[in-house]
Amino acid sequence: MHLTILGCSGSVPGPNAAASGYLLEAENFLLVMDLGNGTLASLQQHCDPFEIGALLFSHLHPDHCSDFSALAVWRRYQSDPPYNPTEQPLPVYGPHEAPARFAAMYAPSESERLRTDLTDVFAFRPLDQGTFTVGPFQITAVPVNHLGLEAYGFRVTDGDRTLAYTGDTGPCPELLELADGVDVFLSEATWPHSDESPGDVHLSALQAGAVAADAGARRLFLTHLAPLHDPDEAIREAESVFTGPLELVEQGKTYEI
């Protein structure tokens, strides 16, 4: 399994830095997890967007899904597509409100929203807690604690290696289930640690490292750092509680899981 970072800037894009988006590949199948601001441009540096086999959304904040409307344009209006996207709609797994949210992002007026649901080129499949199969991947969706929203972390395995991705979440017991014994724990670490930080919004790098240590994760990858914060501080925080290999992921880099 390979992981390519399409973007990893936390909450907002940074200078020349896209927001959240991750490309997983196994057995020539491409799975995209989240598609935030700027990630469709990054995706085109690695593949034709028509080549992806499925989309997976952790939640519906713009920094994790705003480039969906650009992908809709790509699939609807490509002059010479490699296949007919209306005959092969792209599977999209996400929170239950995803179809309505994405149609609202795409359509510029109320009258167009009445006749636009994007199901001509996408096949929407609502997420629930549990395990399902997409291509060569077995995916377990785990509800996490993010502002009371429908939000999920994902545990993804190709049968050989396992990656866990937090999406956006504050500390919650479900993270130990998510990260239990994984080869890579891809965890958000949005802001420096503070006891005064809200408990249901984001993780600090210190909290991400503690989860990785308690869950027995083999490697820790930090992501979703807000561009105003010091990445070196995030590394120091995580290293203070997690003794295994860890790094701050980089946009455009591909990792073997």
Side-chain angles (χ1 to χ4, degrees):
M1 188 194 317
H2 292 89
L3 166 70
T4 297
I5 309 302
L6 304 178
C8 52
S9 184
S11 298
V12 295
N16 298 312
S20 293
Y22 309 93
L23 177 65
L24 284 173
E25 180 177 3
E27 299 179 18
N28 296 316
F29 186 93
L30 301 178
L31 171 69
V32 171
M33 298 190 302
D34 288 341
L35 198 66
N37 322 62
T39 52
L40 184 64
S42 296
L43 180 66
Q44 293 171 63
Q45 296 177 334
H46 300 280
C47 69
D48 181 340
F50 274 102
E51 295 175 356
I52 64 176
L55 278 171
L56 186 62
F57 288 97
S58 63
H59 67 294
L60 300 179
H61 275 145
D63 61 314
H64 290 257
C65 70
S66 66
D67 269 18
F68 184 88
S69 56
L71 182 63
V73 172
W74 186 280
R75 291 183 63 79
R76 281 183 143 190
Y77 299 111
Q78 180 70 261
S79 60
D80 186 25
Y83 58 84
N84 186 339
T86 64
E87 295 177 356
Q88 299 182 49
L90 180 66
V92 178
Y93 298 83
H96 287 68
E97 292 184 10
R101 173 64 182 274
F102 292 157
M105 281 199 305
Y106 176 84
S109 67
E110 180 63 27
S111 61
E112 185 168 347
R113 286 192 290 274
L114 292 174
R115 62 179 186 273
T116 299
D117 65 6
L118 303 182
T119 56
D120 54 338
V121 293
F122 297 106
F124 292 102
R125 298 172 183 175
L127 286 172
D128 287 298
Q129 182 174 3
T131 300
F132 55 99
T133 299
V134 179
F137 298 108
Q138 187 178 69
I139 301 167
T140 300
V142 177
V144 293
N145 183 27
H146 187 50
L147 291 167
L149 304 175
E150 184 182 2
Y152 297 92
F154 300 117
R155 189 178 172 96
V156 183
T157 182
D158 63 354
D160 181 32
R161 298 288 182 175
T162 302
L163 172 141
Y165 168 50
T166 61
D168 281 5
T169 181
C172 58
E174 290 80 6
L175 291 174
L176 291 177
E177 171 192 351
L178 186 73
D180 183 30
V182 295
D183 295 289
V184 169
F185 183 43
L186 177 64
S187 178
E188 70 126 306
T190 306
W191 48 35
H193 187 74
S194 169
D195 292 336
E196 298 177 359
S197 299
D200 64 345
V201 185
H202 291 296
L203 299 174
S204 67
L206 180 71
Q207 291 165 328
V211 171
D214 291 346
R218 292 178 177 83
R219 287 188 286 169
L220 173 60
F221 287 1
L222 299 177
T223 189
H224 200 272
L225 267 73
L228 296 176
H229 298 315
D230 180 3
D232 291 333
E233 181 179 355
I235 293 292
R236 288 192 295 270
E237 283 189 8
E239 286 179 336
S240 72
V241 290
F242 180 74
T243 59
L246 73 87
E247 59 185 291
L248 187 64
V249 298
E250 299 177 24
Q251 180 173 315
K253 188 171 180 179
T254 296
Y255 303 86
E256 185 174 351
I257 304 302

